Amino acid sequence: AQSVAQPEDQVNVAEGNPLTVKCTYSVSGNPYLFWYVQYPNRGLQFLLKYITGDNLVKGSYGFEAEFNKSQTSFHLKKPSALVSDSALYFCAVRPNTNAGKSTFGDGTTLTVKP
Amino acid sequence: DGGITQSPKYLFRKEGQNVTLSCEQNLNHDAMYWYRQDPGQGLRLIYYSQIVNDFQKGDIAEGYSVSREKKESFPLTVTSAQKNPTAFYLCASSVSASGANVLTFGAGSRLTVL
């Protein structure tokens, strides 16, 4: 069975500082990995995904994520946080097989303070 | 603009009543999904459909039913058999259920059982 762990329920950073939201996963075979963001009372929005190739993936709004196969991690990063980045972030994994289902982590609330 | 429309946004139900949540997409996506979101528990898959007139149970299908009579529509019925239906329900779609396709989410429907 596949699973995703987001070990931090809450991450607090000051505006302008770098941010990291952690994600580790477990899946049979090679994974597809995703990050989504959710603002209050809204659906999720796609940020970025890893399929294959370069371990550093760049996405929307200046976010990037680093795939580390040996550590089975896919941490989300941004060099300089904005107050508007405050939201709930979800990591998701699905196996690269036909009709593989996505499994989501429990989410990490990011708060960026001015 | 293409997207997913969920209705109603807020719904109140008395115990013992069935309710149906609407999900319509104009993205021409083959696959559609229903997720349930509870605080601190991430997203859990209820049902998904890869093609018209076909659907599969997800991880928490008990007490729910769906239909997929049209490509653009995937309504979810929360039946009286669902023990704890109060939650935020998210509908999503993707080009197909396979591969690294990104999920596009609706804005959600919040169901409260009185």
Side-chain angles (χ1 to χ4, degrees):
Chain A
Q2 62 202 49
S3 64
V4 175
Q6 293 181 241
E8 300 157 316
D9 292 336
Q10 180 102 22
V11 171
N12 298 312
V13 298
E15 187 173 32
N17 283 0
L19 70 86
T20 299
V21 182
K22 295 179 181 178
C23 171
T24 58
Y25 67 90
S26 173
V27 69
S28 298
N30 294 318
Y32 296 135
L33 294 156
F34 305 81
W35 276 102
Y36 292 85
V37 60
Q38 185 181 33
Y39 298 98
N41 293 311
R42 300 298 302 274
L44 279 67
Q45 299 174 29
F46 168 73
L47 279 179
L48 51 80
K49 67 180 178 181
Y50 171 81
I51 303 174
T52 187
D54 194 349
N55 290 342
L56 185 63
V57 178
K58 294 187 182 296
S60 306
Y61 313 120
F63 283 94
E64 57 190 29
E66 186 168 9
F67 171 66
N68 187 317
K69 187 172 184 177
S70 63
Q71 297 185 8
T72 61
S73 67
F74 189 56
H75 302 330
L76 181 70
K77 300 181 180 184
K78 187 173 183 181
S80 179
L82 300 172
V83 172
S84 58
D85 293 330
S86 299
L88 182 58
Y89 290 81
F90 289 97
C91 180
V93 65
R94 66 184 295 170
N96 64 348
T97 56
N98 285 338
K101 294 184 292 182
S102 295
T103 297
F104 286 80
D106 290 343
T108 298
T109 298
L110 172 67
T111 302
V112 182
K113 298 185 178 179
Chain B
D1 287 341
I4 297 181
T5 301
Q6 290 187 240
S7 63
K9 191 172 180 65
Y10 298 96
L11 184 61
F12 298 89
R13 186 194 98 176
K14 294 182 180 179
E15 285 193 26
Q17 288 181 334
N18 292 355
V19 293
T20 297
L21 307 181
S22 171
C23 178
E24 302 279 332
Q25 55 102 354
N26 60 4
L27 300 166
N28 201 33
H29 285 174
D30 283 330
M32 297 188 73
Y33 312 79
W34 275 105
Y35 288 91
R36 171 179 171 142
Q37 184 177 16
D38 296 282
Q41 294 192 45
L43 276 68
R44 292 181 290 170
L45 183 64
I46 304 172
Y47 269 98
Y48 67 104
S49 169
Q50 299 181 63
I51 199 167
V52 175
N53 292 323
D54 182 64
F55 49 82
Q56 288 83 41
K57 293 181 178 180
D59 300 319
I60 56 164
E62 185 175 353
Y64 300 98
S65 66
V66 294
S67 63
R68 187 86 186 275
E69 298 176 0
K70 299 185 297 183
K71 185 175 185 177
E72 58 269 26
S73 179
F74 192 43
L76 172 74
T77 296
V78 185
T79 75
S80 57
Q82 169 50 233
K83 301 298 183 189
N84 184 20
T86 294
F88 191 51
Y89 291 88
L90 288 163
C91 180
S93 70
S94 62
V95 171
S96 75
S98 60
N101 291 298
V102 171
L103 296 174
T104 299
F105 284 85
S109 293
R110 187 168 297 279
L111 172 63
T112 302
V113 174
L114 303 174

